[in-house]
């Protein structure tokens, strides 16, 4: 962030205290709060002052601007946030320090889940996103260092890839049965009273507790009406991931106390044991703990005790071998092929260049996540299928019998064969034949930017 942006926030209105909390993007030295944090709330009575520190707020503003996102219920965009803070920061700061800030309701947005159904997100206003981010940075400095080593979701310097690699390690060490626990509508079912009681054990600043409670109860605006929330942490808020980890840290500590091998990423929790019989015992006892202690519900339809090769974890699965290899789960492969079919649909009415550009962009992002795949034969098979889809797209664009014959001959196909193929029906059949492979060889597709999938994993 440049000097002009910092000044536009009104430097005179910031507090002079200094403090940093680590984030995934920039984990710096331990913050002031992390240094003095303890299990007793008495050491955390001035947390709102830490939230309002100049450096903490500058960092929060930069984070919100980087993520951008849609406006909330007030219609204010991220681009308008700096000007709004410049004009109103003294008032906002006063309400924060007095504990009287009242968040706006979140805007309800529904997006389809990959495996069917609807995920309901709540989009806070940009001002509330900014404040939540500032609070998050302070609390993360307090809580993250006390979280379990087996928790990987929404934490600085931790990732889904690390979780998958740890799961592979547990299986390789002989824990070949997985207790796959799925929490039913977790973000919608978090008990507010229980969460606030947990926070109060570490947070002594009642102003901060009051504001967090206000965010939990801010409500949801849907179809012009506000519905107040009595449970759950709305997905889409900056604070929600940390609050979910605080709720589920009690589960982590219980699993550690029992000596289990496990990996948790947000509300996806896999426990690894040595036999199906042991798995059934663990499933029963942990389900009881989650229901009775955490006041949450296990989705019995999606939870199971099974071989890791039969389950998916964060989009991955594992081979059923003595030394299991990481593979892409069948459902993930199915979703990938569905998206490729959409992009390479020969009836889309777009240019080849534009289609290939869109294809490359999607494949690069997909392989960036699935680069842990250790079954190259799957990638080779997908490569062949994608090339065939592209050849089919090009063949359709050549359109007429005369043009198809001309293009084939120009590209080295024997004239008689070219005319025979040009008048043959069946686009998909022709796209997989030797003739079109000769006219559009792999090297030609590579020159267009359609590289083998494995090469995108290294980019």
């Amino acid at each position: 962030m440049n000097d002009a942006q910092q000044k536009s926030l009104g430097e005179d209105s910031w507090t002079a205290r200094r403090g940093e909390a680590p984030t995934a993007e920039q984990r710096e030295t331990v913050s002031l709060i992390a240094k003095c944090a303890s299990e007793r709330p008495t050491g955390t009575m001035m947390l709102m002052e830490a939230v309002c520190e100049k450096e903490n707020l500058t960092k929060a503003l930069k984070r919100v601007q980087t993520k951008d996102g849609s406006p909330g219920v007030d219609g204010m965009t991220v681009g308008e946030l700096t000007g709004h803070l410049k004009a109103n920061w003294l008032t906002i700061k006063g309400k924060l320090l007095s504990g009287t800030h009242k968040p706006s309701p979140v805007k309800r947005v529904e997006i389809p889940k990959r495996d069917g159904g609807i995920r309901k997100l709540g989009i806070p206003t940009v001002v509330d996103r900014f404040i939540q981010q500032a609070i998050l940075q302070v609390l993360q400095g307090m809580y993250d260092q006390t979280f379990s080593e087996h928790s990987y979701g929404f934490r600085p310097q931790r990732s889904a890839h690390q979780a998958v690699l740890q799961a592979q390690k547990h299986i390789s060490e002989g824990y070949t049965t997985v207790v796959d626990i799925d929490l039913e509508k977790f973000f919608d079912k978090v008990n507010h009273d229980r969460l606030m009681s947990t926070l109060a054990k570490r947070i002594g600043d009642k102003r901060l507790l009051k504001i967090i409670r206000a965010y939990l109860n801010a409500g949801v605006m849907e179809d012009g009406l506000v519905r107040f929330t009595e449970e759950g942490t709305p997905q889409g808020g900056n604070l929600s991931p940390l609050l979910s980890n605080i709720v589920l840290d009690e589960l982590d500590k219980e699993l550690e106390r029992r000596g289990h091998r496990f990996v948790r990423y947000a509300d996806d929790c896999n426990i690894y044991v040595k036999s199906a019989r042991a798995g059934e015992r663990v499933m029963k006892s942990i389900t009881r703990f989650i229901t009775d202690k955490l006041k949450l519900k296990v989705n019995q339809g999606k939870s199971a005790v099974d071989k890791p090769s039969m389950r998916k974890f964060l989009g991955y699965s594992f081979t059923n071998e003595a030394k299991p290899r990481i593979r892409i789960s069948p459902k993930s492969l199915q979703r990938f092929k569905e998206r490729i079919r959409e992009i390479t649909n020969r009836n889309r009415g777009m240019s080849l260049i534009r289609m290939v550009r869109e294809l490359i962009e999607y494949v690069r992002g997909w392989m960036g996540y699935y680069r842990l795949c250790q079954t190259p034969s799957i990638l080779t098979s997908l490569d062949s299928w994608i090339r065939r889809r592209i050849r089919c797209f090009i063949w359709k664009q050549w359109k007429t019998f005369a043009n198809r014959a001309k293009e084939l001959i120009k590209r080295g196909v024997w004239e008689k064969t070219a005319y025979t193929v040009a008048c043959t029906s069946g686009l998909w059949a022709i796209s997989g034949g030797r003739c079109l492979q000769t006219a559009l060889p792999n090297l030609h597709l590579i020159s267009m930017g359609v590289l083998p999938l494995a090469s995108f994993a290294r980019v």
Side-chain angles (χ1 to χ4, degrees):
M1 181 180 300
N2 56 40
D3 293 339
Q5 285 176 309
Q6 293 184 18
K7 289 179 181 179
S8 68
L9 285 173
E11 289 186 356
D12 292 340
S13 66
W14 303 97
T15 57
R17 296 179 51 173
R18 302 176 61 83
E20 284 286 318
T23 67
E25 289 73 26
Q26 188 179 26
R27 193 168 193 173
E28 301 168 351
T29 54
V30 180
S31 69
L32 172 67
I33 300 303
K35 289 179 180 178
C36 69
S38 69
E39 292 296 329
R40 299 187 306 275
T42 53
T44 59
M45 298 294 291
M46 305 291 287
L47 288 180
M48 282 308 306
E49 280 72 16
V51 169
C52 292
E53 287 175 2
K54 172 186 170 183
E55 290 188 24
N56 186 57
L57 288 167
T58 300
K59 190 175 179 181
L61 177 62
K62 184 176 181 180
R63 175 63 174 162
V64 171
Q65 290 174 329
T66 299
K67 294 186 71 174
D68 199 6
S70 303
V73 296
D74 61 356
M76 185 187 299
T77 65
V78 171
E80 297 170 320
L81 176 59
T82 299
H84 179 81
L85 292 177
K86 180 179 180 181
N88 299 281
W89 173 244
L90 286 174
T91 301
I92 296 171
K93 177 186 173 184
K95 291 181 178 180
L96 289 173
L97 293 178
S98 64
T100 58
H101 173 70
K102 293 184 179 180
S104 300
V106 298
K107 182 170 70 175
R108 171 69 76 215
V109 175
E110 295 183 350
I111 60 173
K113 291 184 179 180
R114 291 178 175 179
D115 54 354
I118 296 293
R119 174 176 284 110
K120 295 184 177 182
L121 299 183
I123 301 178
T125 65
V126 291
V127 172
D128 284 328
R129 266 180 261 171
F130 167 67
I131 295 171
Q132 284 193 41
Q133 181 64 31
I135 294 172
L136 168 67
Q137 290 165 183
V138 170
L139 294 187
Q140 195 139 46
M142 288 176 55
Y143 279 94
D144 191 75
Q145 61 187 338
T146 66
F147 284 154
S148 168
E149 286 298 309
H150 307 283
S151 167
Y152 292 88
F154 309 119
R155 297 183 60 191
Q157 306 301 312
R158 286 177 167 255
S159 68
H161 288 164
Q162 293 173 334
V164 172
L165 290 170
Q166 185 60 56
Q168 182 187 34
K169 181 180 178 182
H170 290 324
I171 301 167
S172 299
E173 292 172 348
Y175 295 83
T176 55
T177 297
V178 61
V179 181
D180 186 354
I181 296 177
D182 182 272
L183 298 177
E184 186 172 311
K185 297 181 179 179
F186 168 70
F187 286 94
D188 298 330
K189 297 297 182 181
V190 171
N191 184 284
H192 288 179
D193 290 337
R194 198 173 193 287
L195 171 57
M196 294 308 302
S197 176
T198 300
L199 291 172
K201 294 176 182 177
R202 299 280 302 278
I203 298 174
D205 194 325
K206 292 184 179 181
R207 299 167 299 173
L208 182 54
L209 291 172
K210 184 178 178 181
I211 288 175
I212 293 174
R213 168 73 84 165
Y215 275 118
L216 292 173
N217 295 336
V220 176
M221 179 171 285
E222 196 168 8
D223 299 326
L225 299 175
V226 176
R227 178 176 58 81
F228 293 99
T229 48
E230 297 180 354
E231 62 180 2
T233 59
Q235 295 186 68
N238 300 53
L239 267 175
S240 292
L242 176 63
L243 295 179
S244 70
N245 273 335
I246 291 172
V247 170
L248 293 177
D249 186 58
E250 190 170 347
L251 172 62
D252 297 339
K253 295 299 192 291
E254 177 65 16
L255 292 173
E256 288 176 344
R257 187 186 68 79
R258 299 185 186 191
H260 287 309
R261 306 287 185 103
F262 72 98
V263 179
R264 184 178 66 79
Y265 189 96
D267 56 338
D268 288 331
C269 184
N270 279 4
I271 307 167
Y272 295 90
V273 295
K274 291 190 173 183
S275 69
R277 186 176 179 181
E280 294 294 347
R281 288 199 306 269
V282 170
M283 174 66 82
K284 185 176 180 179
S285 62
I286 293 301
T287 296
R288 186 165 54 248
F289 175 83
I290 291 172
T291 302
D292 296 344
K293 294 285 290 184
L294 302 186
K295 307 302 180 184
L296 297 170
K297 186 176 181 181
V298 173
N299 188 327
Q300 299 295 340
K302 293 184 177 180
S303 301
V305 177
D306 210 335
K307 293 292 183 183
S309 60
M310 302 301 293
R311 306 295 296 177
K312 69 179 180 70
F313 180 56
L314 302 177
Y316 285 96
S317 187
F318 303 92
T319 60
N320 191 22
E321 301 170 312
K323 293 185 177 180
R325 290 176 294 157
I326 299 171
R327 63 186 179 96
I328 303 169
S329 75
K331 285 189 176 181
S332 298
L333 291 173
Q334 179 183 347
R335 288 194 295 266
F336 173 76
K337 297 185 79 170
E338 288 172 356
R339 180 60 182 139
I340 295 298
R341 287 191 183 97
E342 292 175 1
I343 294 172
T344 60
N345 187 323
R346 48 189 177 270
N347 296 318
R348 292 185 72 191
M350 66 165 51
S351 69
L352 175 64
I353 293 175
R354 182 180 169 190
M355 183 276 287
V356 169
R357 187 184 300 123
E358 187 176 337
L359 174 70
I360 293 171
E361 181 180 353
Y362 174 70
V363 167
R364 179 179 288 114
W366 191 81
M367 279 306 302
Y369 181 76
Y370 287 104
R371 64 179 181 267
L372 294 185
C373 176
Q374 297 171 341
T375 54
S377 62
I378 294 295
L379 300 183
T380 301
S381 175
L382 288 175
D383 282 330
S384 177
W385 178 75
I386 290 172
R387 289 193 292 264
R388 186 172 179 179
R389 296 282 309 178
I390 296 172
R391 291 187 180 107
C392 191
F393 187 95
I394 295 172
W395 184 249
K396 175 70 182 296
Q397 288 203 330
W398 285 349
K399 294 184 178 179
T400 66
F401 160 79
N403 190 55
R404 286 172 176 172
K406 183 185 74 172
E407 291 288 349
L408 291 175
I409 294 169
K410 183 174 69 175
R411 296 164 188 271
V413 176
W414 187 41
E415 185 175 335
K416 183 177 180 180
T417 303
Y419 282 110
T420 301
V421 173
C423 66
T424 302
S425 61
L427 299 177
W428 184 246
I430 292 172
S431 65
R434 184 182 299 275
C435 181
L436 211 55
Q437 290 180 23
T438 299
L440 300 169
N442 293 353
L443 287 177
H444 174 74
L445 300 183
I446 289 174
S447 71
M448 295 168 56
V450 185
L451 306 175
L453 290 175
S455 66
F456 285 103
R458 296 191 294 268
V459 174

